[in-house]
Amino acid sequence: MYKPLLTLLVAASLFAGCSGNTAKDNTGDSAATTAPVDTASPATQAEDPDPSDSIAATAYGINTYGKATEQLVRARLLEKFKDDLAKDLVDSFSRRFIFFQYDLNNDNKKEIFVGLTGPYFCGSGGCSIELLNADGTVINSFTVTDYPVIVAGTATNGWQDLILESNGKYHLIKFNGKSYPANPSVAPVMKEIPGDGLPRLLNYMNEPYAWFRF
């Protein structure tokens, strides 16, 4: 006759123990959810390379901005054009540049395309574009070239072929072992418009690029 009573007492004891554990766990979870959370956004901490525009600091591509590359390019431009700069022949608007880093010869070192602008560097046929090695030495100084620079997807002498627009026509230029042709207008004219799937570098009219001064 005492067995039903004993069973009820054991069941009540087990229920009380489980209820206590549940309450303790819930208390712990509640404390965790109310702990202070760091809501600082990386965008608010990122350095804006071009404060003069309205583009967010985090919007620039990884190949279009880097402090070390910016300083390297600026030093090269100041050195190359020092005589005309000293004579005040380079106007303020022309003392700006953009860049894009791209590995053209598959050596795991990115070459640097430097886009220039303004009346000192641009004319009716296009603008001047510098191509530098990763250490800043000059590979090419292109003239009368419109933006963007297009990577053709084929290679010559271990370097990617490039498609450059000059005077409204596309030209395929190839590496001769030391450099590319400086004036793309003397290279063969392409009969077809380059496909949309090809990489387009210095495409500042359609993508966010930071402009730097030198």
Side-chain angles (χ1 to χ4, degrees):
M1 64 180 294
Y2 297 105
K3 184 175 293 187
L5 179 60
L6 180 60
T7 301
L8 288 174
L9 290 174
V10 172
S13 176
L14 290 174
F15 177 79
C18 291
S19 299
N21 288 340
T22 302
K24 183 177 181 180
D25 288 344
N26 287 341
T27 302
D29 289 344
S30 176
T33 56
T34 57
V37 178
D38 183 8
T39 58
S41 170
T44 62
Q45 301 173 4
E47 178 185 1
D48 192 344
D50 189 358
S52 66
D53 63 26
S54 59
I55 300 172
T58 54
Y60 299 106
I62 189 172
N63 294 311
T64 67
Y65 173 63
K67 197 66 177 179
T69 304
E70 173 196 347
Q71 294 172 346
L72 179 69
V73 172
R74 180 180 291 110
R76 178 59 61 199
L77 295 176
L78 288 172
E79 178 185 354
K80 180 171 182 177
F81 301 106
K82 63 180 179 181
D83 291 340
D84 283 357
L85 288 169
K87 298 173 184 177
D88 203 24
L89 297 178
V90 186
D91 61 285
S92 177
F93 188 76
S94 300
R95 296 186 63 170
R96 304 185 305 150
F97 67 92
I98 54 178
F99 66 79
F100 193 99
Q101 296 176 274
Y102 193 94
D103 186 359
L104 292 171
N105 57 356
N106 200 31
D107 65 351
N108 295 318
K109 295 179 181 179
K110 293 180 180 179
E111 284 69 41
I112 310 167
F113 285 92
V114 182
L116 300 165
T117 190
Y120 182 87
F121 294 107
C122 300
S124 59
C127 297
S128 296
I129 295 177
E130 299 288 314
L131 175 58
L132 311 178
N133 270 317
D135 62 3
T137 56
V138 178
I139 301 172
N140 263 96
S141 295
F142 298 112
T143 58
V144 292
T145 302
D146 282 331
Y147 299 105
V149 173
I150 303 175
V151 181
T154 55
T156 303
N157 292 316
W159 288 65
Q160 291 289 318
D161 299 334
L162 302 175
I163 301 172
L164 300 181
E165 184 179 358
S166 181
N167 293 304
K169 298 179 180 179
Y170 290 104
H171 301 264
L172 181 67
I173 65 170
K174 301 182 178 183
F175 196 78
N176 65 11
K178 294 182 179 180
S179 63
Y180 294 95
N183 185 348
S185 65
V186 303
V189 176
M190 296 187 63
K191 297 180 180 180
E192 298 180 355
I193 297 176
D196 292 338
L198 297 174
R200 282 165 164 75
L201 321 181
L202 302 180
N203 192 17
Y204 71 92
M205 290 176 286
N206 297 300
E207 300 172 8
Y209 273 81
W211 285 91
F212 307 101
R213 300 195 66 84
F214 68 96

